[in-house]
Amino acid sequence: MLHYCLAHLAYHFSRQVPKRSRAKFEILVLFLVTVLLFPQIFVLLRPKSSRYCNQPLLINLTSFIILTFVMTGFTVLLTLMDPIPNEVKVAFHVYGVGSFAQGITTTAFTVAAPQCVNTTPELYYLSFVLSVLSVLATVFIGFLIPFWLADIFCTGMVLTQQARDGVCQKPVANYSFLWHV
């Protein structure tokens, strides 16, 4: 869920930036993706990471890196397109389900691999950090899901931007980036 959450936040933060300044925001996003990718690729290329560990942490890290590249593509699409086609939204939410599954897998492998700290310490600690970040992102998105569903089934109940009305109007009046794609 970490990848989905990061792309989601980048989308909403980009909507706070004027359209003509979004190129600068894209450069910032690419810098942040590089910062996120660097430790993953660094640990992947370490000789110690290929040592034996009874859990497939290395394979999991590889799939995490692939999802990070896909996240980069979605982030670029979501921040540059205005309006966003429904097909892209659906693909993004399907990607969110895959990101959720990746977070659960990472957390499960990390919890089951405490002995890997002796054989592959960098890989284990990176997996631990990614697990914690995935859990935090899942809690954040899990907190927002009831509001999104309420807005779908009872349109205007949660937030109506045009009328400046709804249950959530006060909290998100100045922070509309907290809302949904």
Side-chain angles (χ1 to χ4, degrees), residues 17-31:
V17 176
K19 284 185 181 182
R20 62 183 175 278
S21 299
R22 286 195 186 156
K24 295 174 189 174
F25 184 78
E26 284 297 320
I27 293 169
L28 176 67
V29 166
L30 291 176
F31 173 75

Side-chain angles (χ1 to χ4, degrees), residues 76-155:
V76 169
L77 277 177
L78 292 173
T79 55
L80 289 181
M81 294 179 110
D82 198 19
I84 298 173
N86 283 335
E87 294 83 8
V88 174
K89 288 182 182 181
V90 169
F92 180 62
H93 294 307
V94 169
Y95 171 73
V97 172
S99 179
F100 176 69
Q102 175 65 35
I104 289 174
T105 306
T106 301
T107 304
F109 287 156
T110 304
V111 167
Q115 66 280 4
C116 292
V117 73
N118 298 327
T119 57
T120 57
E122 296 96 354
L123 182 60
Y124 176 78
Y125 289 126
L126 179 64
S127 184
F128 180 77
V129 167
L130 294 175
S131 297
V132 169
L133 291 174
S134 293
V135 167
L136 291 174
T138 302
V139 168
F140 176 70
I141 296 296
F143 174 75
L144 292 179
I145 286 175
F147 295 107
W148 296 341
L149 292 175
D151 194 50
I152 289 171
F153 293 117
C154 300
T155 305

Side-chain angles (χ1 to χ4, degrees), residues 38-59:
F38 179 75
Q40 294 176 43
I41 293 174
F42 177 76
V43 169
L44 182 70
L45 297 177
R46 297 278 301 160
K48 286 184 179 180
S49 296
S50 63
R51 291 184 184 167
Y52 175 75
C53 178
N54 64 350
Q55 293 296 322
L57 294 180
L58 190 62
I59 295 168

